[in-house]
Amino acid sequence: LNQDMKALLPDERVQCAFLAYQIQGCQRELREFWVTQGATVESIEQQRMADSSFALPDLGEQQSITLYLDRETARIDALLAEKESLIGLLREWRKALISEVVTTGLNTQSLMKDSGVPWLGDVPEHWALERLKFFANFLGGGTPSKDEPKFWGGDIPWVSPKDMKSSYILETEDCITQDGLKSSPCMLVPPFAVLTVVRSGILQHTIPVALNTVPVTLNQDMKA
């Protein structure tokens, strides 16, 4: 293991798989008891783990519970895999549909021309070509000081890459206050701007894009 891991080695009274299922099944409750906020990241102290109590039926009942959960979770996992495969195909279809229509239009009979842009390819002959900087303004963002509680927990959505999971942004995991807005590089972005992630590991495989339906602010990894 690396330094961010722990191995729990049960004695002969406890079946490993049963203990693993117990931890999986009590995630929310255990997080409240185990997890503490460190200086830079959340962590679990060994002493807090050691001081937690678990219900232990006898080995025979542990084995029965484990076998039952193995069977039922395997069935559920198979259903999930089937659904995820279908979802993957639908996502690819959605992506292909958008790509085709925004580059060729709705009229499949339109005369085409070479756009001169490698990633764009041919476009309808009557379409104009314009650099983004000539028809869009750019807004960035920042992070109010985490050391000032009065900057956080307000009613102004603060969009970061973790919020970019849908096509429209109405709510965010974190919000800032008016004090936070005034005391940071954050700017208020009006509704129906195009939000995009500009710095994140997710850019290795996708560029998340969304529209905000309410005024928002951005963190430094975002652009409007």
Side-chain angles (χ1 to χ4, degrees), residues 129-149:
L129 290 168
E130 193 78 59
R131 291 184 186 274
L132 183 59
K133 63 184 178 181
F134 295 136
F135 64 86
N137 295 317
F138 294 78
L139 292 179
T143 301
S145 173
K146 298 278 188 170
D147 297 327
E148 290 289 347

Side-chain angles (χ1 to χ4, degrees), residues 68-82:
Y68 172 80
L69 289 175
D70 283 346
R71 183 175 66 253
E72 292 302 306
T73 55
R75 186 171 64 87
I76 294 169
D77 288 344
L79 291 171
L80 283 172
E82 184 179 331

Side-chain angles (χ1 to χ4, degrees), residues 138-186:
F138 294 78
L139 292 179
T143 301
S145 173
K146 298 278 188 170
D147 297 327
E148 290 289 347
K150 66 179 181 179
F151 291 168
W152 296 92
D155 57 3
I156 304 173
W158 182 73
V159 185
S160 65
K162 65 187 176 185
D163 299 303
M164 299 287 286
K165 299 172 183 174
S166 62
S167 299
Y168 295 93
I169 301 294
L170 175 63
E171 298 176 321
T172 52
E173 288 191 27
D174 301 299
C175 293
I176 64 172
T177 62
Q178 287 291 341
D179 286 337
L181 177 62
K182 295 173 184 175
S183 305
S184 72
C186 292

Side-chain angles (χ1 to χ4, degrees), residues 4 6 19 22 36 46 50 68 75 99 134 145 174 202 207:
D4 298 327
K6 277 285 185 287
L19 179 58
Q22 278 201 316
T36 58
Q46 180 170 321
Y68 172 80
R75 186 171 64 87
S99 177
F134 295 136
S145 173
D174 301 299
I202 198 172
I207 302 175

